[in-house]
Amino acid sequence: MNRKLMSVLLMASVLVTGCDALSSAPTYGALSIAGFNYTPYNLSRFVITDKYGNSASGGGDLMPGAGEGSLSCCYKLKGTEFTVKWEVYDADEAIKDLYAPIKKLHKETTIHYPPTKIKGDLGERVLGLHFYPDDHVEFELRTDLGGTRIFYSAIDSWLLKQQGKTFKDTMEDWVAFRRTARIASEGWTKYRLTDTQDLQQYVYYTLLVNPNFDQHPAIQKIISETRDKPGAFGAAMAELPTPIVEALKQGNSANSEQRATHG
């Protein structure tokens, strides 16, 4: 009788959960999907698929730095191996001809995500996808709508406050913002900077002092000493000695000094 009862309960479990009840692969159900866009492009759409036929999607024309609080629901994903496909486009190119089809770039990558305990009740389970400038994507399970790791808007606002309206020249606000995002994304690509103060200083020096400022020996020393110390690069650059700042403004980086020596 006990054996028969166990068989009935097992069958009921299989009917409710499908193959998941007999599989050791982790299953993540009732997921909301959030995309976080750190590329310098607009993220129009992304799709995640697993090896079991499940898929989830999101997007919705996320501009650089956007994604926090934007969700799509509700999905199930299973396993540890996933494929992510996404589309981005250059908004600056798109606005040049509003009647021309938008030229989208199609990206794809695979992700290994080890078994992770999912927290939260139904409606609180969020899978965040972090899209980085070098086209790699990171998964993050969380229980809230936050999660942005790079704040392009805070960087742009700080620059405008520092320089006033002259900072943006004759550019439209969103064009200037995208310029900020492009430069900040370069700071991540080259030095993995994510801290807001670090990126503020990186964009400031690149845009308003010397585009090759990071080639100067003194700056290279700061970069080396502050690596993997969020906020330290920005703090050091904010206290950069005046003679070095003036040398950078005059175009004296390592490259310019080398050209002068060989000239």
Side-chain angles (χ1 to χ4, degrees), residues 38-40 64 152 176-186:
Y38 310 130
T39 76
Y152 290 147
F177 170 80
R178 289 192 291 270
R179 179 177 63 178
T180 296
R182 282 196 303 272
I183 299 172
S185 70
E186 291 171 3

Side-chain angles (χ1 to χ4, degrees), residues 155-164 167 180 200 203-204:
I155 298 164
D156 189 61
S157 296
W158 179 84
L159 285 169
L160 180 59
K161 183 178 180 180
Q162 293 296 309
Q163 295 299 310
F167 166 70
T180 296
Q200 285 171 346
V203 175
Y204 174 86

Side-chain angles (χ1 to χ4, degrees), residues 87-101:
E87 299 175 343
V88 296
Y89 69 92
D90 188 336
D92 289 326
E93 289 297 323
I95 62 176
K96 290 180 179 179
D97 186 349
L98 298 178
Y99 298 100

Side-chain angles (χ1 to χ4, degrees), residues 213-236:
F213 83 97
D214 57 335
Q215 300 304 308
H216 191 284
I219 310 303
Q220 285 288 306
K221 186 173 185 292
I222 291 174
I223 292 171
S224 177
E225 292 176 346
T226 60
R227 192 177 303 277
D228 298 323
K229 299 176 182 178
F233 172 79

Side-chain angles (χ1 to χ4, degrees), residues 18-256:
C19 297
D20 295 340
L22 302 177
S23 173
S24 61
T27 300
Y28 309 102
L31 287 175
S32 294
I33 306 297
F36 300 94
N37 180 23
Y38 310 130
T39 76
Y41 306 111
N42 282 44
L43 175 62
S44 60
R45 174 176 169 79
F46 61 87
V47 178
I48 317 148
T49 56
D50 61 25
K51 293 186 176 181
Y52 299 89
N54 301 302
S55 66
S57 61
D61 204 16
L62 301 177
M63 66 181 188
E68 191 168 78
S70 178
L71 296 174
S72 57
C73 183
C74 296
Y75 301 99
K76 180 182 81 170
L77 293 171
K78 180 178 175 181
T80 58
E81 306 298 326
F82 302 91
T83 298
V84 181
K85 297 181 180 180
W86 69 101
E87 299 175 343
V88 296
Y89 69 92
D90 188 336
D92 289 326
E93 289 297 323
I95 62 176
K96 290 180 179 179
D97 186 349
L98 298 178
Y99 298 100
I102 295 176
K103 297 179 181 179
K104 294 183 178 180
L105 303 175
H106 301 275
K107 310 282 187 175
E108 180 175 344
T109 191
T110 57
I111 296 176
H112 173 77
Y113 191 64
T116 303
K117 184 177 180 180
I118 190 169
K119 300 179 181 179
D121 297 324
L122 295 178
E124 297 178 338
R125 301 171 180 176
V126 180
L127 175 62
L129 279 75
H130 299 270
F131 293 85
Y132 285 91
D134 65 347
D135 291 341
H136 94 273
V137 181
E138 295 180 6
F139 280 6
E140 180 190 21
L141 282 169
R142 53 187 308 114
T143 58
D144 58 61
L145 303 184
T148 294
R149 297 174 179 175
I150 303 177
F151 294 89
Y152 290 147
S153 59
I155 298 164
D156 189 61
S157 296
W158 179 84
L159 285 169
L160 180 59
K161 183 178 180 180
Q162 293 296 309
Q163 295 299 310
K165 194 64 180 178
T166 57
F167 166 70
K168 295 193 175 183
D169 305 318
T170 58
M171 284 185 170
E172 294 292 335
D173 289 351
W174 290 113
V175 175
F177 170 80
R178 289 192 291 270
R179 179 177 63 178
T180 296
R182 282 196 303 272
I183 299 172
S185 70
E186 291 171 3
W188 183 89
T189 301
K190 294 172 72 173
Y191 305 115
R192 293 301 188 264
L193 300 177
T194 59
D195 179 83
T196 298
Q197 184 180 6
D198 291 342
L199 287 171
Q200 285 171 346
Q201 292 294 327
Y202 182 87
V203 175
Y204 174 86
Y205 272 88
T206 299
L207 186 60
L208 299 173
V209 179
N210 185 331
N212 297 313
F213 83 97
D214 57 335
Q215 300 304 308
H216 191 284
I219 310 303
Q220 285 288 306
K221 186 173 185 292
I222 291 174
I223 292 171
S224 177
E225 292 176 346
T226 60
R227 192 177 303 277
D228 298 323
K229 299 176 182 178
F233 172 79
M237 292 300 298
E239 299 297 328
L240 198 63
T242 301
I244 297 178
V245 176
E246 292 303 319
L248 290 171
K249 288 180 178 179
Q250 295 171 15
N252 294 332
S253 65
N255 288 342
S256 61

